[in-house]
Amino acid sequence: MELLIDDANVAEIQRIYEFYPIDGVTTNPSILAKSGRPPFEVLKEIRSILGTEPQLHVQAVAGDAEGMIEDAHCIVKELPGNTFVKIPAVPEGFKAIKQLTKEGIRTTATAIYTPLQGFLAAKSGASYAAPYINRIDNMGYDGIAVARTIHDIFQQNGLPTKLLAASFKNSQQVLELCRYGVGASTVAPAVIDGMVNNAAIDSAIRVFEADFRELTGQDSMSKL
Ligand code: E4P
């Protein structure tokens, strides 16, 4: 499972990218709004942190297919590299995804709440399809089950689209999809930190350090 950062806070992206095995960054208009900065200024900074190879997913904001296609052209021109254009999985979006696929522009279908949205996005040619795990849970449905069903639909129908699960609120949700072997998950920095935030882990490491210091008087093998 690929692991991406779902955020536009440049300092947080830099920190998470330095310490964790990260495949890219996803943003949406609400995430960009939180930064309070001009969108392309932030996105270019994120691209410069990542370099050209890791993925950067940026959302088109226009409401109709023609506008989404224009947004996509602008996004890939301004942000060269391994960039994906996020397009909502609605009829105007499917039309845009079909056209962009013909042009060789890679897309991530977003705002997915149901398996059939995922199916139609994949048939339209999307590279990734992003179901919103926690938002689905909050509607009283099972976000993990929806994501698994979409993953199964892709497998059973020989569709090359990958699942890009989004909207996580805890590490258990990430674990469930990792165990299922979905294509990718995009996760906010605090939830990524939560994946290894465990007092037992910290305590085990402190004991190893203390034992080594008692044995050698040193805190590093390189000082022996
Ligand atoms: C990613 O594609 C989504 O836009 C994002 O993960 C939604 O997350 P939220 O439900 O925490 O806003």
Side-chain angles (χ1 to χ4, degrees):
M1 183 181 81
E2 294 161 3
L3 181 63
L4 292 91
I5 307 169
D6 196 26
D7 203 6
N9 178 321
V10 171
E12 275 296 80
I13 289 171
Q14 202 146 25
R15 179 181 70 81
I16 296 285
Y17 191 59
E18 182 180 351
F19 289 101
Y20 294 93
I22 295 297
D23 297 293
V25 169
T26 60
T27 62
N28 66 32
S30 307
I31 288 172
L32 287 171
K34 274 187 215 150
S35 79
R37 298 176 52 199
F40 277 121
E41 185 182 296
V42 181
L43 291 162
K44 283 177 184 178
E45 261 182 59
I46 295 171
R47 174 49 85 201
S48 74
I49 292 167
L50 297 176
T52 49
E53 192 47 42
Q55 302 166 26
L56 179 59
H57 298 245
V58 180
Q59 194 158 328
V61 291
D64 62 6
E66 288 66 32
M68 290 172 191
I69 291 164
E70 273 178 35
D71 279 358
H73 290 158
C74 178
I75 288 166
V76 295
K77 179 167 161 277
E78 294 288 331
L79 299 160
N82 195 8
T83 299
F84 294 78
V85 180
K86 292 173 71 180
I87 305 272
V90 295
E92 292 284 348
F94 302 139
K95 182 177 173 185
I97 291 169
K98 287 198 295 175
Q99 175 59 28
L100 291 167
T101 302
K102 277 188 202 149
E103 296 177 20
I105 293 176
R106 293 167 304 165
T107 56
T108 296
T110 194
I112 294 183
Y113 289 79
T114 71
L116 286 172
Q117 272 182 292
F119 172 67
L120 293 170
K123 287 274 288 177
S124 301
S127 300
Y128 288 92
Y132 286 3
I133 306 306
N134 200 66
R135 294 193 196 191
I136 296 170
D137 284 352
N138 285 341
M139 292 164 68
Y141 298 100
D142 184 342
I144 297 295
V146 170
R148 286 175 159 188
T149 301
I150 295 172
H151 177 81
D152 291 344
I153 287 170
F154 294 167
Q155 305 278 308
Q156 295 301 323
N157 289 273
L159 290 162
T161 308
K162 286 188 189 175
L163 195 88
L164 170 52
S167 179
F168 290 95
K169 284 295 167 282
N170 61 64
S171 47
Q172 177 64 25
Q173 293 166 329
V174 181
L175 171 63
E176 289 291 328
L177 291 179
C178 187
R179 190 166 59 183
Y180 206 64
V182 304
S185 285
T186 185
V187 185
V191 179
I192 293 177
D193 285 329
M195 290 162 72
V196 285
N197 183 4
N198 184 320
I201 300 169
D202 295 341
S203 157
I205 292 165
R206 297 291 89 81
V207 170
F208 291 141
E209 288 168 352
D211 287 347
F212 190 81
R213 231 178 356 257
E214 196 179 308
L215 176 68
T216 66
Q218 301 293 350
D219 59 4
S220 165
M221 296 291 272
S222 68
K223 293 179 183 164
L224 296 181

